[in-house]
Amino acid sequence: MADQDQKGKWLSSKEVIKNLKITDCELMHRRERGELKFEKRGRAYFYYFEIKDE
């Protein structure tokens, strides 16, 4: 429930690839380098992105 307090959103791999305009391979490399906050649910990965108010 802590994520509810922050302004952010969990996105599927497909959504992240589309939004960041990267390949699935690049997504995997970024995940392995620790550049993305992620969670594995079953066989799928979900990525957390904070929404910044500017």
Side-chain angles (χ1 to χ4, degrees), residues 6-24:
Q6 299 172 2
K7 292 190 177 184
K9 192 174 184 181
W10 286 97
L11 301 176
S12 69
S13 296
K14 285 184 180 182
E15 291 172 313
V16 174
I17 289 166
K18 182 179 169 189
N19 287 317
L20 295 182
K21 296 179 177 70
I22 59 174
T23 63
D24 53 348

Side-chain angles (χ1 to χ4, degrees), residues 29-49:
H29 290 304
R30 289 188 186 191
R31 184 176 69 234
E32 289 177 344
R33 288 192 301 256
E35 296 176 12
L36 300 171
K37 180 178 176 182
F38 71 94
E39 188 176 277
K40 189 170 183 184
R41 301 180 194 164
R43 291 175 35 199
Y45 287 96
F46 288 85
Y47 301 85
Y48 187 76
F49 287 89

